[in-house]
Amino acid sequence: MRGAGVEAVRRKDDGTFCLTTARGEYNACYVVNAAGVEAAAVSHLFGDNSFEIVPRKGEYLLFDHEVSDDMVKGIVFPVPNEMSKGILVCRTVAGNVFVGPNAMVLEDRLDTSVTAVGQAEIIAGGQRLMKNPLPLGKAITEFAGVRAAIRINAEIKEDFLIGWSKAVPGLYQVAGIQSPGLSAAPAIGEYVAKEIIKEFGMHSSGTVARRGGIVCDTHGGPLLEKNSNRGNVGISGIPMELFNRIICRCEKISEGEIIAAIRRPCGAVTVDGVKRRTRAGMGRCQGGFCVGRVAKILARELGVPLGAVRKDGVNSSIAIHKEKFGEYNSAKMSPSSLDGGYLMERTSVGHIPRFVETLTKEENASYFLDSGRYKSINIDDRLLSLAGEKCNWLNGIRSSIKQNPLCIDRRKVVIVGGGPAGLSAAYGAYQCGVRDILIVERDRETGGVLQQCIHTGFGLHRFNEELTGPGYAERCLDLLKDKAGIEIWNDSMVLEIGADKRLLVASPVRGRNIVKAEAIVLAMGCRERSRGAIRIPGTRPAGVMTAGTAQRLINLEGYLPGRKAVILGSGDIGLIMARRLTLAGCEVKGVFEICSYSNGLARNVHQCLEDFGIPLYLSHTVVDIKGKDRVTSVVIAKVDSAMKPISGTEFEVECDTLLLSVGLIPENELTREAGIEISPVTGGPIVNQYRETSVSGIFAAGNVVQVHDLVDFVSEEAELAGENAALKVQDRLITGETSINVKSGPGIRSCVPQRLRVPIVGTVKLYIRAAKNFKTVEVAASTGERGLIAKKLKAVRPSEMITLELPVEMLGDVNADIMVELKE
Amino acid sequence: MRQISLVCINCPVGCRLAVDLDENCEFYSVTGNSCPRGAIYAKEEIMLPKRMLTTTVRTNSDVHPCLPVVSVRPVPKELLLDCITFLKGVKIKLPVKKDEIIAMDILGTGVDIVASRSLDS
C-alpha cells in the first residue's frame, strides 16, 4: 500500500492498533517500525519517545563503466573515523566505479540534494586513494542518500536498534539500520519475522502469503487467486518477442523485463521505480534515450495517459499533453489536477487505476556469443532469475549465441544505424554495385535524429533545396526505394560487434540473430551529454532533461516537457528548442551559456531568441537545481574567464523545466567493445581516407566518427564509407600497406581522417574543427618542409566545420606525416 | 540615412548585412550579402518580416501521433503565433504524402502548409 503514510495511531479497546493513513485506516495486532529516517517520528506517534534519528547525508559520484578498469578492481578503503567508514573508491555489482560517501549531518532529513561542497569533498577524498587523476570527464551521475543514525539520551549510538519497544507493547522497532544496513537487511528481515512469530504465534492460514520462507503480505488487499498470474514475477504472460526489444540501450534492458518489473508484486508505478528494479536509465546517457519509452510502457501497462506517468514523487510528472495545454491554463482546472494527480491503486485482479481527479479521457497511445565474448549473455541470466527456473526457449537462445562455425546469416555489407549516415552509406555501397546490403536500425523507422528535427536548414548542398529534417530523411530513403538487394531491419538493436565482423542483433520479430558480415559500416550517431557529465548540484526532480529528449517528446509524442523552461547551453540544439518550446506554448525564461560567445549559428540566435524576446545570458551557468518532485527553480551564476562561477553573482529563476544543451558525444560503445581504436579527441574511431577503422573491413561515418554540424557533410562522408565498404567486399579496394598520420597542429582541435594510407590515390578532403574563434586565418597543410595547400578563411568558429581538399598532384609521393594548422 | 545591421537567416552562413534606410525608414540598399538571396531578405525584413513556419499537427494514429508540417514559403512574422494556434486545432487522418497540402492559404497569407514527410496509417 503506497502513498499511505501513517498519520496517527490509537490503541483500540481490544488492544490492537488502529493506524490512520492517507488511504484509509488499518488495524494491526503488531506493527514493525521500519521507517528509516522517519523511524523516530513514527515511534513518537505510538508514544515511544526513547530515541531520535540523526539524519546524515552521504553523496556519491558515479563513473561510466568504460573507465572502471583504469580505476579499481574491487574496493579501496581509507582508515575509518567515528562518523563513517570514509570516502571509498569502489566497484558496484553492475561494474561501475563510484567515489563517496561523505557524512554531513542534516537539518531536513528528507534532503537528498547533491551539493558543490559535498562533491568537492568526495572527489578530494577519492583522489587521495588513487594514483591517477579521477576521470571526472567520464562521470555519469551524482546522487545522495540519508543515513538514519540513532540518538538515545543525547548520545549517538552507531548500532542497529532491533527489538520490541519497551514503552509500547506490540510495536517492534527496526531503526538505525546504517551501514552495513543494505547487506544486513535480508538477515534482519528473517530475524524480525522469526521473533514476531516466536513470541506471539501466528496461524499459517488466513490472509498471509508465503514466499521463500519469509512471511509477507502482497498488496494489503485480498489474497491472490491461486491460478492467477499475478503472484508470479511472470515472464509467462509477457510475449517472448518483447524480451528482444531493447529499450535502455546503455544497459541493454528489454521491454519484457520492464513489463515484468511493473507487473510483479509491489511492482513499479513510476519511471524511477522501473529504473531501480531493472537498471533502465542508470547507464551513461542517464535515461536520455529511454525515459520517454519507459514512460510510454508505464502508461500502457497502467492504463493512463503519458501525462500521468510520474518520475518518482506524487507531483513529478514528466510531460503535459500539448493539446491540453490550453485547457490547463483555464481557471477551472485546480493546480493538483494539472499534472494528472493520479494515484495508482492496484486491486488484486489486474490493475484498474482509480483516478483521484480525472481530466478528459483520451485514447491510450499503445505505441513503443560464446559466454566471455558476448556480454549479452547477462540478459539471459537476468531472465533466468526472473523465471526462477530453466526455460527451454532461453536455452535455445543460449545455444544460438555460442560461437557457431556455421553462422546463421551471412551478408556482404552490414550498416549499423539507419539515420542519414546509414542511409547514405547504403546508397554509396549500392552505387558501387553491391546487391547485398543490410541496414540494422534500432528505432521503428529509419531517419535517426532527423525525424525529430522538424525545422528547416537541411539539404541545401546535397539536394539543392531547403528541407526539414524528416524531409531530408525521406529523400535519403527514397534513394534506396525499389532497389533490390537493400534490406532494412527496423526495431532491431545491434548488441555486440566482434572484430571478426560478427554482429549480434536482437529484435522482437526475428529474436536473436548472428549476422556475419564481409564489411561493416558503423553509423550509430551520437548522444547528448547529461546532467551528470557536467555535475550540476541540487535536487534530482523531474523536469531536468536534455534538449534532444525534450525535442523528441514534443515533436514525436505531442507532449510538452513543462510550462516554464530555462535552457542551459546556446548551441544550435538549445536555440532551436527555445523557439520550439515558445511556439508550443511554453514560456522560455532565458538561455544561459557558459562561454562568452554562443556556439550556435548567428541565424539561430536571431530567429530563435531575438524574434521572441528570449534573453541570452553569456558567461553564465546553472549552479543549483531546486524542487522536490518537480523543478521549482534554478540558481544561475556568472562565470569568470576560467568558466568558474563567481561567488555573489547568483540569482534564482523560477521554472519547472531545465533543458540541457551541453554537448554531443559520438556513441561508440559497440566500437570500443569490438576493440577498434578510438581517438580521445573526437571520441570516435580513428579512420583513414577510406573511412576504414583500425579493424580491416569495418568502416565508420557520420556523427559516430565526429560530431558534424551539417547533415549534408554526414551524407557525403557516409557515401564515401559505403563505396569503400563495397569496394572492399569486391576486392577492389587497393590501399597501400602503410599509413601516415594527419596531425592537428596549432589552432586545430580535431581533423578527420586522422590517418592516410600511402601511397595516396585520389583527392583527400580533410574535415577540420578549429580550437577557438578566429577573425581571419589561414588553414594550411604541410608535410615535412613542403607546404601542400593553404586557404584563407574569415570568421572561423569551433562550431562550424572547415573542409580542406588536398590537391591530388601533390599527394602522390607523400610518405611522411601531414601537419594541419590554423595561422592568423 | 540610417544604417542597421541584420543577420541573414536564409542559410547557415548567416551573412552580416549592413542595410541603409532612407529618411522614411524604408529600405534603400544593402551590403554584406554573399548571394542575391541576402539582398532580397534584407528588403523584406525591413518591409514585411517573414519566417518559415515549422510545427507538428496531430494525427489519428497511435503509432505516429504527430505529423511535422512546414510552410512552402515564409509567412509574415507577426502572424506566426496565430498560424500555430490555428494548426493546433488540426487533426490529420493518415495516410499522408510528403508535400501534401495540410492547410491552404493559411490565415489568408497565400502560403500553404504542407506535410514535411509521408506517413502511413
Side-chain angles (χ1 to χ4, degrees):
Chain A
M1 193 56 60
R2 286 168 281 190
V6 172
E7 290 157 9
V9 176
R10 62 185 173 85
R11 197 63 106 161
K12 294 194 347 203
D13 296 330
D14 60 2
T16 59
F17 296 109
C18 177
L19 296 96
T20 310
T21 77
R23 295 179 71 181
E25 289 194 344
Y26 294 88
N27 299 313
C29 305
Y30 323 107
V31 174
V32 176
N33 176 12
V37 284
E38 304 277 35
V42 167
S43 185
H44 293 339
L45 284 180
F46 282 80
D48 179 343
N49 300 315
S50 62
F51 67 92
E52 296 296 329
I53 293 285
V54 177
R56 281 210 295 260
K57 181 163 71 172
E59 295 191 30
Y60 291 85
L61 179 63
L62 189 74
F63 294 90
D64 192 330
H65 64 73
E66 87 184 45
V67 293
S68 297
D69 287 340
D70 300 334
M71 295 179 76
V72 290
K73 288 193 169 56
I75 314 177
V76 181
F77 271 100
V79 175
N81 59 35
E82 318 97 351
M83 284 268 266
S84 82
K85 63 180 179 282
I87 297 171
L88 344 164
V89 182
C90 179
R91 281 236 191 185
T92 70
V93 293
N96 301 80
V97 171
F98 70 77
V99 156
N102 60 349
M104 189 175 107
V105 177
L106 290 181
E107 291 291 325
D108 171 11
R109 58 182 177 251
L110 300 175
D111 172 14
T112 56
S113 65
V114 159
T115 61
V117 166
Q119 287 295 302
E121 197 185 333
I122 62 175
I123 287 170
Q127 185 64 77
R128 264 202 297 279
L129 303 174
M130 302 293 291
K131 194 170 65 170
N132 297 326
L134 290 175
L136 295 177
K138 300 284 186 181
I140 60 176
T141 190
E142 345 155 85
F143 50 89
V146 181
R147 310 170 181 85
I150 301 278
R151 187 174 64 216
I152 296 178
N153 297 330
E155 196 192 326
I156 297 187
K157 306 267 185 218
E158 303 290 355
D159 198 358
F160 301 154
L161 178 68
I162 301 176
W164 292 104
S165 160
K166 295 192 173 55
V168 182
L171 175 67
Y172 197 100
Q173 309 275 33
V174 185
I177 312 300
Q178 291 191 76
S179 179
L182 183 60
S183 333
I188 295 175
E190 284 191 23
Y191 173 79
V192 170
K194 284 203 191 92
E195 288 284 282
I196 294 180
I197 292 170
K198 182 175 71 180
E199 281 292 312
F200 297 95
M202 189 79 110
H203 302 292
S204 59
S205 63
T207 58
V208 166
R210 279 180 191 280
R211 204 156 62 98
I214 296 182
V215 172
C216 65
D217 195 3
T218 49
H219 282 285
L223 230 204
L224 304 171
E225 289 97 43
K226 260 205 179 110
N227 301 332
S228 102
N229 252 350
R230 311 284 314 119
N232 186 356
V233 160
I235 62 168
S236 53
I238 301 174
M240 259 182 244
E241 307 88 71
L242 296 184
F243 288 92
N244 281 318
R245 176 178 290 138
I246 306 297
I247 299 291
C248 169
R249 164 206 55 207
C250 300
E251 298 290 315
K252 301 192 175 81
I253 311 294
S254 67
E255 184 169 352
E257 290 168 89
I258 294 173
I259 295 173
I262 297 170
R263 291 190 188 174
R264 72 195 206 196
C266 213
V269 291
T270 60
V271 172
D272 278 0
V274 169
K275 179 173 84 168
R276 291 180 192 123
R277 289 164 178 77
T278 64
R279 287 191 60 78
M282 285 192 181
R284 66 172 57 93
C285 85
Q286 289 290 296
F289 178 69
C290 67
V291 70
R293 292 163 171 84
V294 169
K296 271 162 60 164
I297 295 170
L298 273 165
R300 186 187 71 213
E301 287 289 308
L302 301 173
V304 299
L306 189 61
V309 174
R310 292 164 291 138
K311 177 180 183 287
D312 196 8
V314 169
N315 291 316
S316 65
S317 72
I318 297 177
I320 310 166
H321 196 286
K322 206 161 43 129
E323 235 170 63
K324 306 251 175 285
F325 188 63
E327 292 177 32
Y328 290 158
N329 275 334
S330 77
K332 61 179 156 70
M333 291 300 218
S334 61
S336 61
S337 70
L338 286 176
D339 294 336
Y342 297 95
L343 261 186
M344 250 65 75
E345 253 181 54
R346 294 259 201 87
T347 66
S348 60
V349 187
H351 27 251
I352 303 157
R354 265 192 284 140
F355 303 130
V356 173
E357 281 167 88
T358 39
L359 295 177
T360 48
K361 291 205 174 21
E362 62 157 357
E363 299 101 58
N364 290 334
S366 58
Y367 48 122
F368 328 39
L369 294 203
D370 191 348
S371 51
R373 287 193 45 216
Y374 290 107
K375 296 209 196 73
S376 49
I377 205 91
N378 292 331
I379 296 182
D380 300 327
D381 290 340
R382 292 201 302 260
L383 296 180
L384 279 180
S385 69
L386 277 181
E389 59 188 10
K390 293 205 188 322
C391 286
N392 284 338
W393 64 268
L394 270 180
N395 287 332
I397 289 179
R398 224 176 240 272
S399 61
S400 81
I401 284 172
K402 282 193 168 53
Q403 261 181 356
N404 188 349
L406 302 163
C407 287
I408 290 179
D409 206 335
R410 286 184 178 278
R411 300 288 176 133
K412 286 213 158 75
V413 175
V414 175
I415 300 171
V416 182
L423 295 173
S424 304
Y427 182 67
Y430 188 89
Q431 292 297 92
C432 245
V434 172
R435 294 294 176 267
D436 177 8
I437 300 167
L438 171 65
I439 299 176
V440 184
E441 164 58 49
R442 70 176 176 225
D443 214 334
R444 59 174 176 249
E445 58 176 355
T446 53
V449 76
L450 289 177
Q451 291 299 359
Q452 63 188 62
C453 297
I454 64 167
H455 49 279
T456 55
F458 305 90
L460 282 163
H461 298 262
R462 183 169 170 77
F463 296 114
N464 262 323
E465 50 174 308
E466 179 149 8
L467 295 163
T468 61
Y472 187 98
E474 188 158 325
R475 293 289 288 271
C476 285
L477 191 58
D478 283 346
L479 289 175
L480 307 180
K481 224 168 28 176
D482 302 326
K483 288 190 161 66
I486 302 182
E487 192 179 344
I488 301 178
W489 287 359
N490 285 320
D491 205 8
S492 305
M493 174 95 62
V494 174
L495 294 176
E496 262 177 68
I497 301 177
D500 58 355
K501 297 190 275 290
R502 216 188 292 238
L503 304 98
L504 178 61
V505 184
S507 71
V509 66
R510 272 174 295 270
R512 307 276 181 91
N513 289 68
I514 296 186
V515 180
K516 175 79 175 75
E518 287 177 40
I520 297 178
V521 181
L522 303 174
M524 294 89 77
C526 61
R527 66 171 188 280
E528 300 173 275
R529 283 173 93 206
S530 64
R531 173 187 174 173
I534 54 173
R535 295 188 288 118
I536 307 177
T539 55
R540 301 167 79 227
V544 180
M545 65 179 79
T546 54
T549 304
Q551 188 181 50
R552 192 185 167 92
L553 201 62
I554 299 180
N555 291 335
L556 295 185
E557 314 289 356
Y559 279 83
L560 274 185
R563 286 180 208 88
K564 276 192 218 174
V566 160
I567 299 180
L568 178 61
S570 67
D572 287 318
I573 305 171
L575 300 177
I576 296 277
M577 282 312 292
R579 177 176 64 182
R580 187 73 187 108
L581 284 173
T582 307
L583 292 181
C586 182
E587 183 192 346
V588 179
K589 303 296 272 285
V591 174
F592 298 86
E593 165 61 53
I594 200 171
C595 294
S596 53
Y597 53 89
S598 163
N599 259 326
L601 298 172
R603 99 199 265 224
N604 283 333
V605 173
H606 180 67
Q607 64 185 353
C608 299
L609 299 187
E610 286 168 13
D611 270 3
F612 300 99
I614 297 171
L616 171 64
Y617 293 76
L618 297 173
S619 298
H620 281 74
T621 193
V622 176
V623 294
D624 200 4
I625 297 176
K626 296 189 175 176
K628 187 167 170 296
D629 290 345
R630 179 87 202 186
V631 177
T632 51
S633 66
V634 297
V635 176
I636 309 281
K638 201 164 184 329
V639 299
D640 58 24
S641 50
M643 302 209 285
K644 295 271 171 285
I646 302 171
S647 166
T649 63
E650 296 89 358
F651 59 96
E652 202 164 327
V653 178
E654 192 198 316
C655 60
D656 69 355
T657 309
L658 174 63
L659 290 198
L660 303 174
S661 162
V662 294
L664 298 172
I665 309 174
E667 185 54 76
N668 278 292
E669 168 117 9
L670 292 172
T671 319
R672 192 175 21 257
E673 286 174 357
I676 293 171
E677 206 183 331
I678 294 189
S679 155
V681 176
T682 57
I686 292 178
V687 294
N688 60 27
Q689 71 267 46
Y690 306 106
R691 292 302 181 277
E692 195 171 23
T693 66
S694 60
V695 171
S696 167
I698 301 187
F699 298 76
N703 274 353
V704 79
V705 173
Q706 63 171 336
V707 177
H708 287 255
D709 26 78
L710 280 191
V711 74
D712 306 69
F713 288 159
V714 164
S715 290
E716 182 179 84
E717 185 178 46
E719 257 188 62
L720 180 73
E723 279 165 18
N724 289 313
L727 291 175
K728 186 87 177 189
V729 307
Q730 294 164 338
D731 273 324
R732 280 163 53 200
L733 187 66
I734 317 290
T735 72
E737 288 300 308
T738 47
S739 294
I740 55 163
N741 295 311
V742 178
K743 290 209 159 98
S744 298
I748 307 269
R749 180 177 146 68
S750 67
C751 183
V752 170
Q754 297 94 335
R755 298 216 177 107
L756 297 174
R757 283 276 197 205
V758 290
I760 299 173
V761 174
T763 55
V764 170
K765 192 164 168 181
L766 299 177
Y767 296 78
I768 298 163
R769 280 212 187 272
K772 61 184 177 98
N773 285 354
F774 290 96
K775 276 219 170 68
T776 42
V777 73
E778 187 183 74
V779 59
S782 57
T783 172
E785 299 301 310
R786 188 160 52 115
L788 291 171
I789 186 169
K791 190 164 88 168
K792 281 200 168 47
L793 298 166
K794 275 195 295 195
V796 160
R797 309 192 311 152
S799 57
E800 283 161 44
M801 201 179 277
I802 304 163
T803 58
L804 183 67
E805 214 164 297
L806 301 178
V808 178
E809 59 275 8
M810 307 212 66
L811 294 175
D813 58 347
V814 168
N815 58 3
D817 288 352
I818 292 180
M819 166 83 91
V820 186
E821 56 184 338
L822 282 168
K823 293 186 288 206
E824 303 215 61
Chain B
M1 274 291 220
R2 261 181 65 204
Q3 194 182 76
I4 58 170
S5 97
L6 290 176
V7 172
C8 177
I9 62 171
N10 272 318
C11 82
V13 175
C15 298
R16 283 228 147 56
L17 309 173
V19 185
D20 292 314
L21 306 175
D22 65 14
E23 309 79 46
N24 302 323
C25 274
E26 279 176 22
F27 175 84
Y28 187 76
S29 71
V30 60
T31 49
N33 50 309
S34 28
C35 83
R37 293 166 75 203
I40 301 169
Y41 169 78
K43 191 164 180 183
E44 292 187 338
E45 187 70 3
I46 304 294
M47 286 191 340
L48 181 67
K50 301 199 193 98
R51 297 287 182 266
M52 287 294 282
L53 171 63
T54 53
T55 184
T56 53
V57 295
R58 294 287 279 173
T59 70
N60 62 344
S61 158
D62 289 336
V63 174
H64 287 115
C66 302
L67 168 73
V69 296
V70 60
S71 57
V72 296
R73 287 189 311 279
V75 301
K77 180 169 128 181
E78 62 179 20
L79 288 178
L80 200 64
L81 287 172
D82 293 329
C83 292
I84 296 275
T85 309
F86 175 85
L87 290 170
K88 266 192 181 145
V90 169
K91 196 164 182 177
I92 293 297
K93 189 153 185 275
L94 298 184
V96 140
K97 277 244 160 301
K98 180 173 181 291
D99 300 325
E100 201 176 306
I101 297 180
I102 303 297
M104 192 176 276
D105 187 14
I106 188 167
L107 297 187
T109 56
V111 178
D112 296 339
I113 308 292
V114 301
S116 303
R117 60 166 290 183
S118 311
L119 267 186
D120 296 327
S121 45

